[in-house]
C-alpha cells in the first residue's frame, strides 16, 4: 500500500498500520513495586502476630536463659550446658551486652536478621527467575514461615525461633551460596567470603551445615568446571575455599581454649556432630519419626501417593494451559491469571479436606527432578559460562 499524497497533510493515510503499543507501567513503579509489596506484607504480618511469637515456658526460655548466662560471664559448655555450636549463644549474649537483656532485644535483632534473609532470598530468586517470581517467593516466605504460628505455642518462627542456630545458620548458608555466585568475576574474594560464611555455619548445628555444604559445594564444583581452568588452578581455588572455611572454627577453638581446656573446647564445637553420632540417640523413636526412618515403607508409599495426587491435579491444568496459550497468545497474560485464580478457587473449595501438614511431602521428588534437569542442562552448556 502506498501513501496518499493528494490533499493536505491531514488527509494522508499511513501505508501500514502502526503496531499496537502495550500499556506500560512507569519505570519507577516497575522497580519499586516488589519492595513495596514485600514491605506491606511484612508490616501486616508483623502487626498481626505482634507479641505472639515466643512461649517463654516452652523451649524459647532456654534460648533466653543460655544467652543471659553467657552475658553474665558464665562459660559455655563448662558452666552452661549446650549441645550445639557456640555462635548463636555468644551472638545473643552480644545483643544483650549492646542493648540490654530482654526478650524485646532478641526480637528486634532477629527481625533485623530476618530482613537480611528476605533481602538475600529476593536477590537470589531475582537472578534465577526475575522480579515477579522473587516477589512471590518472599511473600510466601513471609506468610508461611517468617511469622508462623500453626500450633498452640510459639517458638516456630524466625522472630523467636526454636533454636537460633537454625536462623543464624540459614542466613550464613545463603550468604555462602550467594558469594559463590561471584566466582567468575571476583574469584578470590568469592572463595574467601563463601568459605568464611560456611565456617560460620559450622559453628551452629549439623543439619544446617550439611545443607549449606551441599549447596555451596555443588556451586563450587560447577564453577570450577565452568571457569576453573586447568587442574592446578582448580586445586588452588579449592584450597583457598577450604582454608577460609576452616579459619572460623579454628578461631573459635582458640577463643574457647582461653577459658577452658582445648579438649573441652573441641568437644563443644563438635557437640551437635557428636550427638548425631551417638547410636543411643539415633535409636530414639522421637528422632526416627522426625527423620522419617521409623516406617520407611509407609513413608515411601505416602510419598508416591501424594506425588500421584499432585500429578492428577497439575498435569491436566498444565496441558490445558499450553493448549490455550498456543491458540490465544495475545490474551495469555489474562488467561494465566485466570488459571491461577481458578486453582486458588479449587484449593479453597477443598480447604477442609486437604492435609496441609503433608502438603509438602512430594518436595524431595521435586528437588531431585529439578537437580537432574539442572545438571543435564549444565552438561549440555558447560562451555557457555554465562548460561
Amino acid at each position: 500500500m502506498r501513501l496518499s499524497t493528494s490533499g493536505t497533510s491531514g488527509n494522508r493515510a499511513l501505508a501500514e498500520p502502526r503496531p499496537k503499543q502495550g500499556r506500560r507501567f512507569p519505570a519507577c513503579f516497575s522497580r519499586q513495586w516488589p519492595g513495596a509489596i514485600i514491605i506491606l506484607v511484612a508490616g501486616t504480618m508483623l502487626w498481626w502476630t505482634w507479641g505472639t511469637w515466643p512461649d517463654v515456658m516452652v523451649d524459647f526460655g532456654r534460648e533466653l536463659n543460655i544467652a543471659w548466662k553467657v552475658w553474665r560471664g558464665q562459660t559455655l559448655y563448662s558452666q552452661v550446658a549446650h549441645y550445639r555450636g557456640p555462635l548463636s549463644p555468644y551472638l545473643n549474649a552480644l545483643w544483650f551486652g549492646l542493648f540490654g537483656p530482654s526478650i524485646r532485644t532478641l526480637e528486634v535483632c532477629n527481625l533485623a536478621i530476618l530482613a537480611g534473609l528476605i533481602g538475600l532470598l529476593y536477590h537470589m530468586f531475582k537472578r534465577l527467575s526475575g522480579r515477579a517470581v522473587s516477589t512471590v517467593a518472599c511473600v510466601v516466605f513471609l506468610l508461611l514461615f517468617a511469622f508462623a504460628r500453626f500450633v498452640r505455642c510459639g517458638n516456630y518462627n524466625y522472630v523467636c525461633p526454636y533454636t537460633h542456630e537454625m536462623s543464624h545458620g540459614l542466613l550464613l548458608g545463603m550468604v555462602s551460596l550467594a558469594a559463590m555466585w561471584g566466582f567468575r568475576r571476583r574469584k578470590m574474594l568469592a572463595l574467601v567470603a563463601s568459605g568464611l560464611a560456611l565456617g560460620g555455619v559450622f559453628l551452629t548445628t549439623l543439619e544446617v551445615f550439611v545443607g549449606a555444604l551441599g549447596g555451596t559445594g555443588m556451586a563450587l564444583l560447577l564453577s570450577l568446571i565452568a571457569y576453573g581452568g586447568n587442574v592446578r588452578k582448580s586445586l588452588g581455588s579449592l584450597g583457598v575455599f577450604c582454608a577460609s572455611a576452616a579459619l572460623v572454627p579454628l578461631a573459635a577453638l582458640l577463643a574457647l581454649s582461653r577459658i577452658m581446656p582445648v579438649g573441652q573446647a573441641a568437644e563443644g564445637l563438635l557437640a551437635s556432630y557428636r550427638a548425631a553420632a551417638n547410636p543411643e540417640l539415633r535409636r530414639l523413636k522421637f528422632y526416627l519419626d522426625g527423620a522419617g526412618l521409623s516406617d520407611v515403607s509407609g513413608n515411601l508409599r505416602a510419598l508416591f501417593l501424594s506425588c500421584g495426587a499432585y500429578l492428577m491435579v497439575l498435569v491436566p491444568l498444565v496441558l490445558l494451559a499450553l493448549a490455550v496459550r498456543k491458540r490465544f497468545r495475545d490474551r495469555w497474560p489474562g488467561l494465566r491469571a485466570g488459571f491461577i485464580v481458578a486453582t486458588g478457587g479449587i484449593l479453597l473449595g477443598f480447604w477442609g479436606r486437604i492435609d496441609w501438614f503433608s502438603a509438602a511431602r512430594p518436595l524431595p521428588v521435586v528437588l531431585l527432578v529439578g537437580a537432574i534437569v539442572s545438571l543435564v542442562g549444565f552438561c549440555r552448556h558447560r562451555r557457555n559460562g554465562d548460561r
Side-chain angles (χ1 to χ4, degrees), residues 11 19 22 84 90 109 150-151 170 183 201 230 234 277 302 311 364 367:
N11 295 327
R84 296 187 178 91
Y90 279 101
C109 292
F150 298 121
V151 293
L170 179 60
F183 181 87
V201 181
N230 55 40
S234 297
L311 291 176
L367 292 177

Side-chain angles (χ1 to χ4, degrees), residues 118-366:
I118 295 172
L120 268 176
L121 190 68
Y122 179 83
H123 166 73
M124 298 175 76
F125 272 93
K126 182 182 176 182
R127 288 195 61 183
L128 290 172
S129 303
R131 289 176 182 165
V133 172
S134 58
T135 303
V136 171
C138 291
V139 168
V140 170
F141 175 76
L142 286 167
L143 292 177
L144 296 183
F145 303 105
F147 303 96
R149 180 70 183 271
F150 298 121
V151 293
R152 181 180 59 83
C153 62
N155 305 329
Y156 307 111
N157 53 71
Y158 283 76
V159 186
C160 294
Y162 176 78
T163 60
H164 282 85
E165 284 80 8
M166 302 300 289
S167 55
H168 295 162
L170 179 60
L171 177 63
L172 289 172
M174 292 182 64
V175 169
S176 179
L177 185 58
M180 188 57 67
W181 284 5
F183 181 87
R184 182 185 181 187
R185 295 182 178 179
R186 300 177 181 87
K187 182 176 180 180
M188 191 61 63
L189 180 61
L191 290 170
V192 173
S194 182
L196 291 175
L198 186 64
V201 181
F202 182 84
L203 299 180
T204 58
T205 186
L206 169 65
E207 53 268 37
V208 183
F209 177 71
V210 170
L213 178 63
T216 305
M218 180 60 70
L220 175 61
L221 175 63
L222 300 182
S223 298
L224 291 177
I225 295 175
Y227 309 118
N230 55 40
V231 176
R232 183 177 180 181
K233 291 183 178 180
S234 297
L235 291 177
S237 299
L238 182 61
V240 171
F241 174 77
C242 293
S244 302
L247 184 61
V248 177
L250 287 176
L253 179 63
L254 291 176
L256 288 175
S257 64
R258 298 181 61 183
I259 55 178
M260 66 181 69
V262 178
Q264 189 176 12
E267 290 181 359
L269 289 178
L270 300 174
S272 62
Y273 304 87
R274 293 171 55 244
N278 189 331
E280 295 182 359
L281 290 177
R282 294 205 306 267
R283 286 194 294 266
L284 291 178
K285 187 178 185 300
F286 177 81
Y287 295 109
L288 290 175
D289 290 343
L293 300 177
S294 58
D295 183 13
V296 177
S297 60
N299 288 330
L300 288 176
R301 189 182 308 110
L303 173 65
F304 287 117
L305 289 176
S306 61
C307 289
Y310 270 89
L311 291 176
M312 289 176 62
V313 174
L314 294 178
V315 170
L317 288 176
V318 170
L319 294 177
L320 179 61
L322 292 175
V324 171
R325 182 180 182 182
K326 293 179 180 179
R327 189 172 181 180
F328 302 98
R329 289 184 179 273
D330 296 337
R331 302 178 182 178
W332 171 240
L335 290 172
R336 181 172 55 186
F339 277 117
I340 295 175
V341 173
T343 304
I346 294 173
L347 291 177
L348 287 175
F350 292 92
W351 184 270
R353 303 179 184 179
I354 298 176
D355 182 11
W356 291 105
F357 281 97
S358 301
R361 192 180 291 273
L363 184 60
V365 177
V366 175

